[in-house]
């Protein structure tokens, strides 16, 4: 096992109470595997990624265990963690505009990572930075451009190039295809596949995405998150073919190719979660018990689990 | 009504080695009041630049933009300031729209104050109402932008624009950070408000399914130009331009059963770096499966190919009409 997360809780202190962004997350990732993390906006996907890389703000109270190659990252001194970050585990962030440095050209930003983490010399790093940009479909002549001179999708891809510059054993990619048109999306999917499955030994990836097409194409297993909890996990094909959690079903039914179909109701407040099953106010299958008792994860097949009483 | 006539944009960058790039070249279209034009096309083709020119955040190098008969491109600053609240953009990067040091409450309240739309207690009520229409909770008002998830911030950005009850909205990938279900809620809301308030909308999206749902008309851009434009049904029903066809053939629909090889490939991933300015002719020639001699010699004009449908391709008459199968198409082999 490359990564084993047990009972991870991330609570943010706020004026209104604790925001339970991750509320007892268990997750496993095998070497060479691509695990997809999908789910509702605001359900805690990014927070989970930031918890693994320990990049959460100070207002976050974190508990539980994040075992990476048997080592608990949550207990590591910051200095050690810095070594893990980059060479071992790296993250492609969701918001390129605030993650890129506006004062440096994208070439410099990629080269900097290459020098620091791969020990490349100036010239080699610059060369490689150009190659990485090309891989994401940005012609190398853009290398001297500043973030504000790029289009939204190009900035997004520059972020991917930075993430790949580390060549980590575990890549956490947070919405890497957001806002990209289909042809570029395909190119990025192929690229992500090539840098994980295509190298030997294969590398692992935690792919956070709300694009179900991308998740279907790229992931081996899928975990579905709702209100700070994993509500379903399983092999990707199995989850798509046979979704068992009412939320997963609603999500799959909402694909725009089926028309504009929304799950009724809105996501709950993470400060005042509904009692019992967090999904019960919106669930079509809810019964009395759901409003009182929180469901535990039930295993319903080989590597397929669902957090629902009536799955 | 919004009317865009031959707008162009040339950016110059670099301090020592100055270079200019033509990003938008002669784009014209029209959007009737209360209607939506979907603007689609490859990443970097110039969609955001067009959007920002419409709301006058960047100055076009040439061309005219008219809204309700008023020429925005010629308006003096004072008149423009008065018109500002009526013409709004939802930014592609929602962090652009917010002051990172302001709480969401203040960011949402500000437009009311600034434009004297409400006062005191009323502002608080309006802000509360807004946050709930986009599916968020009062607690989110007490947060700073970085304390919200990507999709939450994107919805606040939308709420902020709706607060002003604009007459024209440029929505630049307004739902790109939302899961499909919340996206459906937000788009339904947007449509409903449009029906009620009759605002005109330019809707930029990479997601063709979404663009189709939202738009009355579609304009397909490629490298700074519109290559095809027409009614939504007409564009999806009988796309004529080879680029549009490639785009429509490449919609991804989740179907992991089908394996994971992609079938998108009528479009070659040629690096878009054939020096086209020098090459002349059609800007799609280096990737087009139908390119011929004439395509390298002459730039195709945007010509009428069917009633209310325009296409910029020399060979559109030779190409057999195809039916784009957007809904339910499986694109994994
Ligand atoms: N610093 C913070 N302080 C308080 N609450 C926070 C903070 N950061 C995130 N949250 C809350 O935690 C929850 C999880 O946020 P997260 O960013 O992980 O969502 P997400 O699943 O990535 O959503 P999206 O798909 O919209 O990006 C959200 O409801 C968010 O409002
Ligand atoms: N300030 C600028 N200086 C120089 N070049 C710029 C500037 N702003 C945009 N560009 C370039 O103009 C082109 C069009 O950018 P634009 O943001 O309009 O693309 P887009 O169609 O919105 O793409 P995306 O879908 O990726 O957001 C890109 O090649 C971009 O690099
Ligand atoms: S436990 Fe009850 S409310 Fe929760 S998902 Fe299952 S049926 Fe629905
Ligand atoms: S003009 Fe020629 S190169 Fe351009 S799209 Fe038409 S057939 Fe292809
Ligand atoms: Mg996120
Ligand atoms: Mg853009």
């Amino acid at each position: 096992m490359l990564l084993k997360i047990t009972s991870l809780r991330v609570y943010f202190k706020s004026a209104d109470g604790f925001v339970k962004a991750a509320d007892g997350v268990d997750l496993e990732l095998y070497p060479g595997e691509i695990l997809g993390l999908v789910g509702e906006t605001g359900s805690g996907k990014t927070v989970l990624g930031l918890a693994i890389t320990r990049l959460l703000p100070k207002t976050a109270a974190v508990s539980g265990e994040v075992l990476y190659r048997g080592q608990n990252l949550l207990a590591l001194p910051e200095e050690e963690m810095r070594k893990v970050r980059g060479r071992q585990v790296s993250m492609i962030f969701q918001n390129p505009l605030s993650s890129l440095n506006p004062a440096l050209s994208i070439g410099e930003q990629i080269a900097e990572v290459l020098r620091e983490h791969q020990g490349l010399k100036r010239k080699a790093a610059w060369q490689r930075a150009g190659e990485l940009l090309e891989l994401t479909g940005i012609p190398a002549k853009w290398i001297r451009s500043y973030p504000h001179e790029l289009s939204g999708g190009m900035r997004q891809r520059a972020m991917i190039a930075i993430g790949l510059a580390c060549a980590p054993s575990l890549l956490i990619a947070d919405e890497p295809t957001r806002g990209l048109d289909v042809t570029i999306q395909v190119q990025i999917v192929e690229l992500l596949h090539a840098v994980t499955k295509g190298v030997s030994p294969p590398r692992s990836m935690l792919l956070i995405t709300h694009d179900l097409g991308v998740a279907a194409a790229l992931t081996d297993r899928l975990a579905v998150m709702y209100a700070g909890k994993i509500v379903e996990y399983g092999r990707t094909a199995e989850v798509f073919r046979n979704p068992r959690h009412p939320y997963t079903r609603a999500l799959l039914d909402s694909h725009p190719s089926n028309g504009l179909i929304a799950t009724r109701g809105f996501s709950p407040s993470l400060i005042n979660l509904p009692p019992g099953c967090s999904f019960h106010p919106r669930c079509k299958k809810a019964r009395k018990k759901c409003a009182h008792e929180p469901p535990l994860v039930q295993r319903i097949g080989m590597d397929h689990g669902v957090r629902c009483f009536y799955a | 009504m919004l009317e865009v006539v031959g707008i162009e944009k040339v950016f110059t960058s670099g301090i020592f080695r100055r270079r200019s790039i033509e990003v938008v070249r002669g784009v014209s279209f029209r959007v009737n009041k209360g209607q939506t034009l979907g603007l689609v096309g490859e990443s970097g083709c110039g969609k955001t630049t067009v959007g920002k020119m419409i709301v006058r955040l960047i100055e076009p190098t040439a061309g005219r933009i008219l809204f309700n008969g008023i020429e925005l491109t010629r308006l003096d600053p004072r008149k423009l300031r008065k018109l500002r609240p009526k013409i709004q953009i939802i930014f592609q990067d929602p962090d652009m729209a917010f002051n990172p040091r302001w709480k969401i409450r203040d960011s949402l309240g500000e437009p009311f104050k600034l434009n004297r739309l409400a006062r005191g207690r009323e502002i608080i009520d309006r802000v509360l109402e807004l946050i709930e229409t986009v599916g968020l909770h009062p607690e989110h008002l007490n947060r700073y932008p970085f304390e919200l998830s990507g999709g939450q911030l994107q919805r606040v950005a939308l709420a902020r624009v709706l607060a002003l009850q604009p007459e024209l909205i440029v929505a630049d990938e307004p739902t790109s950070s939302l899961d499909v279900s919340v996206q459906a809620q937000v788009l339904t809301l947007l449509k409903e408000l449009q029906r009620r308030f009759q605002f005109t909308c330019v809707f930029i999206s990479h997601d063709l399914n979404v663009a189709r749902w939202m738009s009355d008309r579609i304009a397909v851009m490629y490298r700074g130009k519109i290559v095809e434009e027409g009614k939504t049904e007409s564009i999806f029903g009988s796309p004529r331009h080879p680029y549009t066809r490639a785009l429509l053939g490449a919609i991804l629909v989740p179907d992991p059963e089908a394996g994971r090889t992609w079938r998108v490939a009528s479009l070659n991933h040629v690096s878009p770096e054939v020096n086209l300015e020098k090459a002349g002719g059609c800007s799609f020639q280096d990737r087009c499966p139908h390119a011929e001699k004439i395509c390298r010699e002459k730039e195709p004009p945007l010509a009428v190919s069917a009633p209310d449908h325009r296409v910029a391709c020399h060979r559109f008459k030779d190409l057999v009409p195809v039916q784009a199968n957007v809904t339910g198409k499986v694109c994994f082999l």
Side-chain angles (χ1 to χ4, degrees):
Chain A
M1 191 116 25
L2 186 72
L3 187 75
K4 187 173 163 61
I5 299 176
T6 329
S7 320
L8 181 71
R9 290 195 161 71
V10 179
Y11 290 4
F12 293 100
K13 211 173 174 167
S14 84
D16 306 274
F18 283 102
V19 182
K20 299 178 184 123
D23 200 15
V25 170
D26 298 313
L27 212 57
E28 294 170 351
L29 212 143
Y30 301 93
E33 181 188 52
I34 303 182
L35 173 67
L37 185 59
V38 300
E40 180 152 81
T41 154
S43 62
K45 305 180 296 294
T46 299
V47 162
L48 187 61
L50 294 174
I52 297 169
T53 47
R54 291 238 324 249
L55 292 170
L56 285 165
K58 289 203 174 61
T59 49
V62 185
S63 70
E65 220 177 36
V66 177
L67 289 183
Y68 173 77
R69 295 189 199 276
Q71 193 177 30
N72 186 4
L73 296 184
L74 297 184
L76 229 51
E78 179 53 33
E79 220 168 291
E80 299 279 306
M81 190 60 210
R82 209 170 301 142
K83 283 184 211 151
V84 172
R85 229 181 271 134
R87 243 168 293 177
Q88 299 284 336
V89 183
S90 88
M91 184 152 172
I92 298 171
F93 297 103
Q94 186 178 10
N95 42 355
L97 204 61
S98 37
S99 310
L100 290 167
N101 182 340
L104 288 179
S105 73
I106 49 166
E108 284 168 283
Q109 297 186 53
I110 302 169
E112 193 180 293
V113 174
L114 287 164
R115 289 202 301 271
E116 190 181 325
H117 293 295
Q118 310 249 59
L120 293 189
K121 291 272 180 309
R122 262 200 107 71
K123 218 164 156 201
W126 189 255
Q127 173 93 21
R128 179 75 187 132
E131 287 165 18
L132 281 167
L133 278 181
E134 293 262 1
L135 283 176
T136 64
I138 301 178
K141 73 161 189 190
W142 287 97
I143 193 164
R144 286 176 205 284
S145 307
Y146 291 86
H148 78 271
E149 296 175 328
L150 302 179
S151 79
M154 289 161 87
R155 275 196 290 269
Q156 181 87 17
R157 290 178 276 155
M159 291 291 298
I160 296 176
I162 292 175
L164 298 182
C166 312
S169 320
L170 171 61
L171 181 64
I172 302 173
D174 196 355
E175 303 286 1
T177 57
R178 178 182 79 108
L180 296 178
D181 58 281
V182 191
T183 49
I184 304 277
Q185 234 181 54
V186 168
Q187 197 174 345
I188 295 300
V189 166
E190 280 169 352
L191 176 63
L192 291 175
H193 191 264
V195 298
T196 50
K197 301 274 174 182
V199 294
S200 109
R203 301 199 182 107
S204 308
M205 176 159 70
L206 177 64
L207 177 72
I208 301 172
T209 184
H210 57 255
D211 191 317
L212 299 170
V214 168
L218 209 47
T219 62
D220 301 304
R221 285 192 309 133
L222 209 57
V224 183
M225 207 162 170
Y226 185 82
K229 291 193 174 70
I230 306 289
V231 296
E232 180 157 7
Y233 65 85
R235 301 209 63 81
T236 303
E238 169 72 10
V239 174
F240 273 95
R241 192 186 329 119
N242 185 17
R244 299 289 289 274
H245 195 281
Y247 175 70
T248 314
R249 288 195 185 168
L251 188 68
L252 296 183
D253 284 343
S254 305
H255 194 271
S257 65
N258 298 334
L260 281 189
I261 306 161
T263 315
R264 60 179 180 161
F266 285 119
S267 26
S269 152
L270 294 185
I271 294 178
N272 299 304
L273 281 168
C277 172
S278 312
F279 191 56
H280 89 258
R282 305 172 69 185
C283 183
K284 283 189 197 139
K285 289 176 74 182
R287 294 187 221 166
K288 228 175 175 173
K289 183 177 176 185
C290 306
H292 308 295
E293 210 178 305
L296 299 174
V297 174
Q298 299 180 52
R299 296 190 61 139
I300 50 168
M302 262 277 287
D303 200 23
H304 191 176
V306 180
R307 190 185 286 276
C308 170
F309 295 121
Y310 309 110
Chain B
M1 187 180 73
L2 172 72
E3 208 176 349
V4 170
V5 190
I7 51 168
E8 307 198 345
K9 181 71 201 174
V10 179
F11 282 113
T12 33
S13 63
I15 302 164
F16 304 112
R17 268 184 295 171
R18 287 188 79 77
R19 58 191 177 99
S20 324
I21 40 166
E22 259 187 292
V23 168
V24 174
R25 305 182 294 147
V27 163
S28 305
F29 55 77
R30 213 190 249 216
V31 197
N32 288 333
K33 182 174 158 68
Q35 295 223 321
T36 297
L37 174 86
L39 197 55
V40 303
E42 197 163 57
S43 171
C45 71
K47 304 179 295 294
T48 298
T49 307
V50 167
K52 285 188 177 168
M53 286 195 280
I54 292 172
V55 298
R56 292 295 312 273
L57 281 177
I58 51 184
E59 203 65 29
T61 315
R64 302 190 304 154
I65 295 162
L66 294 103
F67 183 60
N68 292 342
I70 305 169
E71 189 166 346
L72 299 181
T73 24
R74 285 243 193 105
L75 222 54
D76 67 67
R78 210 174 36 129
K79 289 214 181 95
L80 184 66
R81 211 172 313 130
K82 259 182 89 181
L83 212 59
R84 260 272 124 82
K86 298 282 155 225
I87 301 175
Q88 289 290 316
I89 184 167
I90 302 169
F91 287 105
Q92 185 169 14
D93 291 287
D95 1 7
M96 282 276 286
F98 296 96
N99 183 333
R101 280 180 294 271
W102 282 12
K103 289 197 170 162
I104 297 302
R105 171 189 305 288
D106 301 316
S107 287
L108 272 183
E110 186 223 30
F112 290 116
K113 261 186 240 160
L114 212 62
N115 300 292
R116 301 206 182 86
L117 295 170
R119 286 194 300 179
R121 176 73 217 173
E122 204 190 337
I123 296 185
I124 302 174
D125 291 343
R126 299 280 281 274
V127 163
L128 275 171
E129 187 194 329
L130 267 177
I131 200 86
E132 275 165 11
T133 44
V134 292
L136 297 173
H137 299 279
E139 71 200 44
H140 294 118
L141 293 171
N142 296 328
R143 309 256 183 95
Y144 291 97
F146 78 92
E147 294 178 322
L148 293 183
S149 83
Q152 289 170 340
L153 194 62
Q154 195 163 42
R155 280 176 287 161
V156 178
L158 176 80
R160 199 177 124 104
V161 161
L162 294 176
L164 290 163
Q165 299 200 352
E167 289 171 27
L168 172 66
I169 298 181
V170 174
D172 195 354
E173 303 279 5
T175 57
S176 65
S177 294
L178 302 180
D179 63 86
V180 284
S181 168
V182 174
Q183 168 171 277
Q185 285 173 327
V186 167
L187 293 178
T188 312
L189 171 75
L190 203 59
K191 275 238 133 180
E192 196 184 294
L193 291 175
Q194 187 177 34
R195 213 165 303 136
R196 193 139 40 109
F197 298 110
Q198 291 293 307
F199 56 79
T200 306
C201 183
V202 175
F203 191 91
I204 301 173
S205 179
H206 73 279
D207 186 326
L208 296 170
N209 281 312
V210 166
R212 183 182 203 177
W213 280 107
M214 293 305 291
S215 315
D216 302 288
R217 302 180 71 84
I218 297 277
V220 182
M221 270 182 89
Y222 187 75
R223 288 184 193 161
K225 296 187 74 161
I226 290 182
V227 295
E228 186 159 8
E229 197 262 342
K231 284 221 182 80
T232 304
E233 314 87 77
S234 176
I235 296 283
F236 282 89
S238 53
R240 302 305 289 268
H241 197 281
Y243 175 66
T244 313
R245 292 172 174 220
L247 205 61
L248 297 187
I251 287 183
L252 306 178
V253 172
D255 181 9
E257 304 271 335
R260 43 181 56 113
T261 336
W262 303 80
R263 179 164 62 104
V264 187
S266 56
L267 198 60
N268 331 321
H269 301 313
V270 176
S271 134
E273 280 320 288
V274 179
N275 195 332
L276 286 161
E277 280 114 86
K278 272 190 202 140
C282 173
S283 56
F284 192 53
Q285 59 179 288
D286 54 332
R287 296 163 92 183
C288 182
H290 311 288
E292 276 190 342
K293 194 157 163 278
I294 184 170
C295 307
R296 287 184 284 279
E297 289 163 354
K298 232 179 104 209
E299 185 152 16
L302 201 54
V304 175
S305 65
D308 210 10
H309 190 145
R310 301 180 296 162
V311 57
C313 170
H314 291 302
R315 300 200 55 205
F316 75 85
K317 285 192 191 112
D318 312 338
L319 306 179
V320 203
V322 289
Q323 183 83 36
N325 180 9
V326 176
T327 33
K329 175 154 183 166
V330 175
C331 283
F332 304 92
L333 274 188

